Amino acid sequence: MILIKLGGSAFSNKAKPLSFHEEPVRNLALLIKQHGITPVLIHGGGSFAHPVAKAYGLDKGIRDDAQLIGVSLTSLTLSLLNERITSIFSKLGLPTYTIRTGAVFMRTLSGLKLSGDVVDLVRRLVGMRIIPVFYGDVIHDYELGFSILSGDEIMVELAKRLKPRYALFLMDVEGVYSEGPRRGELIRVFKPSTSISYSSSGVDATGGLMGKLKHAIELAEMSVQTYLCSVMDQESISLILTGGEPRGCTRIEAT
Amino acid sequence: MILIKLGGSAFSNKAKPLSFHEEPVRNLALLIKQHGITPVLIHGGGSFAHPVAKAYGLDKGIRDDAQLIGVSLTSLTLSLLNERITSIFSKLGLPTYTIRTGAVFMRTLSGLKLSGDVVDLVRRLVGMRIIPVFYGDVIHDYELGFSILSGDEIMVELAKRLKPRYALFLMDVEGVYSEGPRRGELIRVFKPSTSISYSSSGVDATGGLMGKLKHAIELAEMSVQTYLCSVMDQESISLILTGGEPRGCTRIEAT
């Protein structure tokens, strides 16, 4: 089993609402087709969901009923985005099946609750060679009414139950750099002890690189082979998918 | 709790793929707003899903991997339809939250399996005054790979768990007629013993009127007050929602 997270930055420009770059998604779909694999795909909300969710303050929970329309609008834009991504897969002959994250995940007072049936559904879909698709979503929260569940969190939660061999985080950059996005040196192996000096410019709406690294380390701690790669680095992704060690990318190690 | 099924015929023309009539959906949303209720809404696939699902033979299960793209395409058109319906609600200030049916329902060898968490989620959403939305969908089937779950079946399955007071099936006609759609007399109270003479012209892709009546009777047997109405009959729907007896519509009785 392989989990692939297609980050929002990989296919959209945070500064431009509803911007969408087809090429990186198509590149990923072509690699999946070429290697004949059936991964579980998780995509971010990119510039579709973040501006709406932020405008309605959904990252801070529901304090006012007027925010509930923001839940509907965020859901709508995420649905539009999911259609764009899955239709690129369909055009290449790769069947997908979207499992709306908020239909199966709830945030309770004791942590995330995932419907047990979903694990069975995902295994069955992969067995039929149909790609299960999840996405970062606005989900019901027992305490806050609604809150955001990021694609990176979904990776960790699914990995706990599916025990994948690989987890790939695909981004718009080659991996983790020592001094910020594309600044300093590309770090080939990142461990919890690795020090990097990042300015706030590297931070996005769902926790930024530090959040991503925290989740990636959790995956590595579960003995999942975890990599952060550029979505356009076909050679490295192909090497990982065939059991090799890539020349690009950052590999995450637990210790 | 009120379950409302917005039938495909109520908002689209079966003979015209992707046809959509906004007015009936807006009419329903206005009634919901006027009465300040938070129903659970279930919509059909109408001319969005049926032509694609039929073209790929999804009503007969998966016998060939080439049909799997049909699963993706049916999913896409259903998602588009759901966006159109929920955006009409959003424009009127009514928040909705779509629970993709196929994410929570699977058809197993012993019947339909619904994730238990969903019942909790639906209750919580209604408690927050956000309308949970389901739709007739292509779902995973243990035996056939995939099969269709109709909106009428969803009504029955949700009613078993949610024990609603009312179930409304909204259609393009006033109710059940004695001799076919709009032919003969409108039947005011339909019981299992009521005889009607219908030609095949009254049959649609998911079981036709006979299928709908079978499901409506199942609801009535659970002591749910069950009606079949025209989506445009504001007066009758308002009367039902305020505990009265409508002049239009067909009421379903179990015995």
Side-chain angles (χ1 to χ4, degrees):
Chain A
M1 183 89 75
I2 301 169
L3 302 187
I4 298 180
K5 159 78 194 298
L6 186 60
S9 73
F11 57 77
S12 74
N13 180 344
K14 264 180 281 178
K16 289 186 186 171
L18 304 180
S19 62
F20 184 74
H21 309 310
E22 193 168 316
E23 192 55 27
V25 181
R26 198 164 176 273
N27 196 60
L28 171 61
L30 284 169
L31 281 169
I32 287 170
K33 189 173 181 172
Q34 179 192 329
H35 291 286
I37 57 168
T38 306
V40 177
L41 180 66
I42 296 115
H43 67 76
S47 70
F48 281 68
H50 291 282
V52 188
K54 275 203 157 180
Y56 284 89
L58 300 183
D59 47 337
K60 299 176 192 78
I62 306 292
R63 297 165 309 281
D64 181 334
D65 280 356
Q67 289 175 279
L68 291 175
I69 283 295
V71 172
S72 300
L73 297 179
T74 305
S75 300
L76 274 172
T77 55
L78 280 166
S79 183
L80 284 168
L81 171 61
N82 178 257
E83 282 158 20
R84 294 192 78 158
I85 290 173
T86 56
S87 63
I88 290 169
F89 278 68
S90 290
K91 276 183 213 161
L92 291 171
L94 293 168
T96 60
Y97 196 80
T98 299
I99 296 165
R100 185 190 179 168
T101 305
V104 298
F105 275 104
M106 285 190 270
R107 207 185 288 276
T108 74
L109 298 176
S110 59
L112 284 163
K113 185 166 90 166
L114 170 65
S115 149
D117 295 351
V118 175
V119 174
D120 181 31
L121 176 60
V122 168
R123 289 216 177 91
R124 286 171 170 272
L125 292 174
V126 171
M128 293 179 73
R129 300 182 58 75
I130 185 161
I131 300 167
V133 181
F134 293 82
Y135 53 77
D137 198 3
V138 50
I139 69 165
H140 180 55
D141 184 310
Y142 281 26
E143 188 185 4
L144 302 172
F146 279 92
S147 63
I148 304 295
L149 181 65
S150 75
D152 292 346
E153 282 178 282
I154 299 171
M155 288 286 272
V156 173
E157 293 302 317
L158 290 181
K160 284 178 190 168
R161 287 135 177 126
L162 293 167
K163 311 283 180 205
R165 181 155 182 199
Y166 295 102
L168 303 189
F169 289 84
L170 302 182
M171 319 182 295
D172 59 340
V173 292
E174 298 286 328
V176 184
Y177 291 78
S178 57
E179 293 167 29
R182 297 191 185 87
R183 289 181 52 200
E185 285 183 17
L186 178 68
I187 297 171
R188 308 299 306 280
V189 179
F190 184 93
K191 300 179 184 192
S193 59
T194 308
S195 76
I196 51 174
S197 53
Y198 264 46
S199 69
S200 61
S201 65
V203 173
D204 73 22
T206 45
L209 186 74
M210 289 309 170
K212 189 181 291 294
L213 284 171
K214 181 179 134 315
H215 292 118
I217 288 165
E218 281 186 70
L219 284 156
E221 283 169 348
M222 291 182 234
S223 303
V224 181
Q225 292 196 45
T226 304
Y227 294 88
L228 276 61
C229 300
S230 162
V231 67
M232 298 307 284
D233 185 355
Q234 291 183 281
E235 192 186 332
S236 293
I237 299 171
S238 288
L239 270 164
I240 294 168
L241 295 179
T242 52
E245 197 55 39
R247 287 192 298 176
C249 308
T250 296
R251 192 174 79 236
I252 309 292
E253 291 195 351
T255 52
Chain B
M1 184 87 78
I2 301 169
L3 302 187
I4 298 179
K5 160 77 194 298
L6 185 60
S9 72
F11 57 77
S12 75
N13 181 344
K14 265 181 279 178
K16 289 187 186 170
L18 304 180
S19 63
F20 184 74
H21 309 310
E22 193 169 315
E23 192 55 26
V25 182
R26 197 165 176 272
N27 196 59
L28 171 61
L30 283 170
L31 282 170
I32 288 170
K33 189 172 180 174
Q34 180 192 327
H35 291 286
I37 56 169
T38 307
V40 177
L41 180 67
I42 295 115
H43 67 76
S47 70
F48 282 69
H50 290 282
V52 187
K54 275 204 156 180
Y56 284 91
L58 300 184
D59 48 336
K60 299 177 192 75
I62 306 292
R63 297 164 309 280
D64 182 334
D65 281 356
Q67 289 175 278
L68 291 174
I69 283 296
V71 172
S72 300
L73 297 180
T74 305
S75 300
L76 273 173
T77 55
L78 281 166
S79 183
L80 284 168
L81 171 61
N82 177 256
E83 283 159 19
R84 295 192 78 159
I85 290 173
T86 56
S87 62
I88 290 170
F89 278 69
S90 289
K91 277 183 213 161
L92 291 171
L94 293 167
T96 60
Y97 196 80
T98 298
I99 296 165
R100 185 190 180 167
T101 305
V104 297
F105 275 104
M106 284 191 271
R107 207 186 288 277
T108 73
L109 298 177
S110 58
L112 283 163
K113 184 166 90 168
L114 170 65
S115 148
D117 296 351
V118 175
V119 174
D120 181 30
L121 176 60
V122 168
R123 289 216 178 91
R124 286 170 169 274
L125 292 174
V126 171
M128 292 179 74
R129 300 182 57 76
I130 184 162
I131 300 167
V133 182
F134 293 82
Y135 54 77
D137 199 4
V138 51
I139 68 166
H140 180 54
D141 184 310
Y142 281 26
E143 188 185 3
L144 302 171
F146 280 92
S147 63
I148 304 295
L149 181 64
S150 74
D152 293 345
E153 282 179 282
I154 299 171
M155 287 286 273
V156 173
E157 293 302 317
L158 290 180
K160 283 180 192 167
R161 287 133 177 128
L162 293 167
K163 311 284 179 204
R165 181 152 181 203
Y166 295 101
L168 303 188
F169 289 84
L170 302 182
M171 320 183 292
D172 59 340
V173 291
E174 299 286 327
V176 184
Y177 291 78
S178 57
E179 293 168 29
R182 296 191 185 87
R183 289 181 52 200
E185 284 182 18
L186 178 67
I187 297 171
R188 307 302 304 280
V189 179
F190 185 94
K191 301 179 184 193
S193 58
T194 308
S195 76
I196 50 173
S197 53
Y198 264 45
S199 69
S200 60
S201 65
V203 174
D204 75 20
T206 46
L209 185 74
M210 290 309 168
K212 188 181 290 296
L213 284 172
K214 183 179 133 312
H215 292 116
I217 289 165
E218 282 186 71
L219 284 156
E221 283 169 349
M222 291 182 233
S223 303
V224 181
Q225 292 197 45
T226 305
Y227 293 89
L228 275 63
C229 300
S230 161
V231 67
M232 297 308 282
D233 185 355
Q234 290 183 281
E235 192 186 332
S236 294
I237 299 171
S238 288
L239 270 164
I240 295 168
L241 295 179
T242 52
E245 197 55 38
R247 288 193 297 176
C249 309
T250 296
R251 191 174 81 236
I252 310 292
E253 291 195 353
T255 51

